[in-house]
Amino acid sequence: PTCPEGIVGDWDTMEDGDAYALLDETGIIALNPTTNLHEVLMANNLGWKDLLSELCHVGSPGEMFTSSAPQDPTFWPLHGNAERMISVMRVYKNRGKIEFDETWGYEHTKELPSDTGMICDWSGVTGTLDMPTCTSGICSGHKEDDLLPFTDLFEEQGDTLITNAEFYERISPLSHELPYAYDTLFYWEACDEHNLLDQYQKSKGKSDSTSTSVWSQVFDTIWGVM
């Protein structure tokens, strides 16, 4: 394990109860009060020691559910493809093929151990097992009017920061000012007939790929078939 021996002790003699005690002492158990970790582990024939082992073998740091996601190497190709998906959805909406609610929103997802719904202040942490002060909330940067820390994204921006909403408008595939375009916007190799809209319609039991449909849960459906 990559966890320090001074914290985990002797891994070979560790019992499941010992692993639980360590996870509880370090605050892991309390990180997500909306998830019953014991039930999740039992359903997958796993124990507390299995969970601790996974946490001690993090590999490349970062994962997709937190603000540390950019540290995960898979972040970069995945998010480029996610923008391509959003682009094709915006085009389909413009053509009247789908209903796509673009109202800005950000909510925490329950039943995901990674989504704690907490904001933690680590400034006062000094000891090995010290825990940060955490409160319920949403990390800054996700809301519609939050400012992005990037400058010179386009010629006239200069040092002026823009909001998430302004950036979203800037990357619209319908904008003539967009300085790039996807050469395979409508081609999705993993989908039936390589067609994203066809795949969605089939998943909903509809055969007419040109009919208007509500895409309020489009990501759940699309990511499930890709």
Side-chain angles (χ1 to χ4, degrees), residues 22-43:
L22 180 59
L23 291 166
D24 187 44
E25 181 183 0
T26 54
I28 300 298
I29 302 298
L31 274 178
N32 192 341
T34 66
T35 299
N36 188 321
L37 287 178
H38 180 65
E39 289 184 359
V40 173
L41 292 171
M42 291 291 291

Side-chain angles (χ1 to χ4, degrees), residues 87-99:
S87 295
V88 73
M89 290 164 62
R90 295 173 82 173
V91 171
Y92 280 143
K93 176 183 178 180
N94 180 259
R95 295 181 179 180
K97 291 183 178 293
I98 65 170
E99 294 176 15

